Amino acid sequence: MQRQATREPPAPGAAPDIFADLTAWLEQQKQAGVERIYLPPAVRAELFEDIAISPVIPQPAPSPERPPPSEPMPAARPPVQPAARPPSRPAAAPPPSAPPSATDRDWPALASAVAACTACDLHRTRDLPVFGEGSRQAELMMIGAAPGAGEDRDGRPFTDAAGELLGKMIGAMQFSRSEVYLTNVVKCRPAGGRRPTAAEAEACRNYAVNQIKLVRPKVIVLLGEVALHTLLGPRSLTRSRGHWHEFAGIPVMPTYHPAYLLQSPKAKREVWSDLQQAMRRLGRDPRETMRQTRMTKS
Ligand code: URA
Ligand code: SF4
């Protein structure tokens, strides 16, 4: 939730008063004549999960005409001045929130900011934002590009075929998936599975930066060009991979994205070499993985 410029910031260390922000913003909307507010499904779930009564905006019964969940909910009753709004968008869309600040550094604040984020147009077409998952004390953090269709539906990162391959890469590094922190630089799915634009990645970047600062992993592996360009700036992935870089004092190893490996399996050799460097930095011996692989093959 974007803090209003007129409000005092919370005292250092104090929890952000999300409900006060929300109430102030709703008051402002009411004074501006807005009668209905669209809440994305993830925000509705978060706000109303513990409340036995139904949410303020009732869910309409599913019908073939019902717009996809990322579209505004149909109004419960006709607006008083229907002509004042475009007919295809009866509910008022919240104003875009400002890009996330680089200082929202606690997990609950970050999670609610992502759930309510409208800082770029991707919020209009997403179903669920994909925050990230895994150990918040992870030694290893892996950062991809943006959610795909499955991730958008599940709200979890890397659940597609590339994610399955990523799971094998993590296993080869002698970690389990839950020991690693996984996220993307862009939290909402670009429609049609396209690559996020640089502007979308820039709008979303600070969420990943804050996640890095909260996890403080020993090593970050950047998966693919979008993650590399967004966190370290535009540069060649081919030339950057295999070499150590640094972000916020943390060693960073860029490598190819597992989705690229599905198309170009020959690049697995380079990725394995990059991951071995990361393993050594984390005190793990890649020869052990190779010994295990030989054992399971024989
Ligand atoms: N799934 C993700 O969560 N991220 C990617 O970059 C690709 C697939
Ligand atoms: Fe906000 Fe990021 Fe989603 Fe854009 S992609 S709406 S910046 S969370």
Side-chain angles (χ1 to χ4, degrees):
M1 181 71 49
Q2 175 60 24
R3 187 164 286 281
Q4 299 298 319
T6 50
R7 293 176 51 80
E8 288 290 309
D17 191 347
I18 292 166
F19 282 100
D21 279 354
L22 181 62
T23 312
W25 184 76
L26 287 171
E27 274 301 328
Q28 225 179 40
Q29 299 300 304
K30 203 164 113 189
Q31 277 162 22
V34 174
E35 295 175 320
R36 271 172 286 277
I37 303 291
Y38 166 65
L39 296 178
V43 180
R44 277 203 308 277
E46 196 155 300
L47 285 174
F48 300 115
E49 66 183 352
D50 295 332
I51 302 176
I53 55 167
S54 30
V56 181
I57 303 171
Q59 295 258 3
S63 80
E65 291 77 43
R66 190 179 167 193
S70 51
E71 286 300 304
M73 299 297 291
R77 56 194 162 79
V80 178
Q81 296 165 303
R85 295 188 185 90
S88 60
R89 213 178 162 85
S97 54
S101 128
T103 53
D104 291 342
R105 295 215 200 121
D106 75 76
W107 286 108
L110 208 48
S112 15
V114 170
C117 185
T118 56
C120 84
D121 274 351
L122 295 183
H123 80 276
R124 296 183 194 283
T125 46
R126 75 180 173 212
D127 190 348
L128 292 176
V130 177
F131 184 71
E133 69 178 18
S135 167
R136 292 175 176 180
Q137 285 81 42
E139 292 188 350
L140 172 62
M141 185 160 173
M142 297 176 117
I143 307 179
E151 288 84 4
D152 179 67
R153 210 170 33 240
D154 302 342
R156 296 183 50 217
F158 291 104
T159 54
D160 61 355
E164 199 176 314
L165 180 53
L166 180 64
K168 289 183 184 159
M169 287 158 57
I170 292 170
M173 294 180 80
Q174 299 161 21
F175 284 91
S176 68
R177 207 180 131 120
S178 61
E179 287 173 319
V180 176
Y181 195 81
L182 297 178
T183 193
N184 294 300
V185 281
V186 171
K187 308 302 189 208
C188 306
R189 179 191 184 225
R194 66 167 168 81
R195 181 186 167 117
T197 64
E200 288 158 351
E202 191 51 39
C204 211
R205 176 181 193 270
N206 272 339
Y207 292 130
V209 170
N210 288 330
Q211 286 171 309
I212 291 171
K213 289 177 178 169
L214 284 169
V215 176
R216 289 225 64 84
K218 288 190 181 151
V219 165
I220 298 170
V221 171
L222 296 181
L223 301 165
E225 215 169 47
V226 174
L228 173 69
H229 290 183
T230 308
L231 287 171
L232 298 183
R235 61 194 68 201
S236 151
L237 174 58
T238 316
R239 280 199 289 275
S240 302
R241 61 144 288 275
H243 301 284
W244 286 107
H245 304 255
E246 202 182 281
F247 185 87
I250 302 166
V252 174
M253 176 57 69
T255 195
Y256 295 123
H257 194 287
Y260 173 72
L261 294 185
L262 292 173
Q263 293 162 12
S264 310
K266 278 189 183 154
K268 281 184 184 169
R269 177 190 292 272
E270 281 129 295
V271 170
W272 177 226
S273 149
D274 302 343
L275 298 183
Q276 285 185 61
Q277 290 205 56
M279 286 174 79
R280 287 194 203 95
R281 196 108 191 194
L282 293 163
R284 289 165 199 234
D285 185 353
R287 286 172 304 182
E288 185 56 26
T289 301
M290 299 194 264
R291 204 174 61 80
Q292 294 277 344
T293 314
R294 273 196 299 275
M295 268 171 46
T296 48
K297 273 190 184 156
S298 58

